[in-house]
Amino acid sequence: MFDSGFGGLTVLRSLREVLPELDYLYLGDSARTPYGTRGFDVVHQFTLEAVEMLFDAGCPLIVLACNTASSRALRTIQQQHLPAHRPDRRVLGVVRPSVEALAGLPPGALPGVTVPSMAEGVVAILGTQGTVASDSYRIELAHLAPGLRLLQQACPMWVPLVESGETVGAGPDWFLHRYLDPLLDRPQPPDRILLACTHYPVLMPGIRQIVPPGIEVLSQGPIVAGRLHDWLIRHPEMDERLSRGGGCEFWTTDDSSRFDELGGRLMGQSIRSTKVHIPCG
Ligand code: DGL
């Protein structure tokens, strides 16, 4: 699994709950985080370098937990890089499964084939500037559930708050309101909100205090884990290539003690990471 930092551990934690028998290697590019404020080319290059490093380490399947990387790099990697250089490997992102969940669709739904349980209404995503600017969620939603209206809100201060451990108090509350109020103060607020960034589930308690109980707030960990489980059932050729020792290794490109401290909180267990250098392409 790859993420721009340690936020993707919120997704890995769910994956290990649903698929505990698999072996995991997590790479967090903390030295170059945040990706969310970077341009398309830079995110693409960084993601490609990380993916190649994980392939070289022997991973047959990579999940890009990072929404920014999934939005800005996944399509090109899947359509151009893999067929030309790694035809036997797969890279999956988080946008497609999240959109399925946002629209109330079953895993692997095909446009026009399955009637969405939420055929119309308003949904919203909260994400980084890069994710929102890419319009990846709008494109995917228009494809799968065109009756749904999508609101998108970039929350550029939330990642720095989580990265610095400042998640409770008047300061974080002010920034929660800053990005949530414009969504909630609309004549037709969303029925469902997706936290489309790996870091945001850390802010869930504060978010839940602001968002009225009638509005669902979705985190990606359980969504991605459940749908990966389903994807593996539909792709036995990949499933049988995954090693099953229940192990979990953590690599970070920055100081490992900081990664262990913050990451341990997200994983709900103590972790020991290894500092690595991602070879530049
Ligand atoms: N991991 C990123 C995402 O899910 C957020 C952090 C960043 O900006 O690097 O979009």
Side-chain angles (χ1 to χ4, degrees):
M1 170 171 285
F2 171 68
D3 187 53
S4 60
F6 61 84
L9 295 172
T10 58
V11 180
L12 179 64
R13 186 178 178 162
S14 297
L15 241 62
R16 293 200 78 204
E17 279 163 16
V18 174
L19 298 160
E21 70 282 8
L22 296 183
D23 289 316
Y24 296 92
L25 172 55
Y26 180 95
L27 172 59
D29 193 8
S30 302
R32 301 193 289 195
T33 206
Y35 279 22
T37 45
R38 296 185 187 274
F40 178 90
D41 290 350
V42 176
V43 173
H44 180 263
Q45 185 59 30
F46 285 0
T47 307
L48 190 57
E49 289 166 4
V51 158
E52 271 303 313
M53 187 178 188
L54 289 170
F55 282 154
D56 283 342
C59 301
L61 173 67
I62 299 172
V63 176
L64 301 182
C66 180
N67 286 267
T68 313
S70 296
S71 296
R72 294 197 172 243
L74 179 66
R75 191 170 294 254
T76 341
I77 290 175
Q78 283 177 334
Q79 293 180 356
Q80 291 170 23
H81 186 73
L82 296 187
H85 304 284
R86 301 281 194 172
D88 61 332
R89 313 289 177 101
R90 294 295 293 264
V91 181
L92 302 175
V94 289
V95 176
R96 174 68 182 247
S98 301
V99 166
E100 287 172 0
L102 199 53
L105 288 163
L110 297 170
V113 173
T114 323
V115 179
S117 67
M118 194 173 160
E120 52 186 41
V122 183
V123 292
I125 64 148
L126 301 165
T128 65
Q129 286 156 310
T131 298
V132 170
S134 75
D135 240 359
S136 59
Y137 276 87
R138 190 182 301 288
I139 294 164
E140 204 68 61
L141 197 69
H143 193 52
L144 285 177
L148 286 177
R149 217 173 115 227
L150 178 71
L151 306 173
Q152 304 193 80
Q153 175 68 49
C155 313
M157 281 304 293
W158 286 6
V159 169
L161 285 171
V162 172
E163 288 278 335
S164 56
E166 296 286 347
T167 56
V168 186
D173 277 355
W174 192 87
F175 281 107
L176 290 179
H177 276 287
R178 180 180 168 105
Y179 306 131
L180 288 170
D181 290 354
L183 284 181
L184 301 173
D185 294 344
R186 305 171 63 89
Q188 197 185 357
D191 307 297
R192 220 174 244 173
I193 298 174
L194 172 76
L195 305 185
C197 173
T198 51
H199 284 61
Y200 297 174
V202 178
L203 298 166
M204 185 62 111
I207 294 172
R208 248 334 347 167
Q209 276 185 354
I210 295 170
V211 177
I215 300 178
E216 235 187 313
V217 182
L218 305 177
S219 286
Q220 288 179 309
I223 296 171
V224 173
R227 283 162 204 258
L228 179 66
H229 180 244
D230 187 86
W231 188 90
L232 288 173
I233 292 170
R234 285 183 283 121
H235 293 84
E237 76 291 351
M238 177 54 73
D239 188 49
E240 65 198 23
R241 289 174 63 193
L242 302 180
S243 62
R244 290 174 151 77
C248 196
E249 216 178 305
F250 302 91
W251 288 358
T252 175
T253 53
D254 202 351
D255 182 46
S256 55
S257 56
R258 187 163 178 275
F259 186 92
D260 294 353
E261 191 203 321
L262 292 165
R265 276 190 242 153
L266 296 195
M267 285 297 283
Q269 62 170 87
S270 69
I271 59 175
R272 282 184 75 85
S273 61
T274 306
K275 185 175 177 183
V276 296
H277 173 74
I278 300 179
C280 296

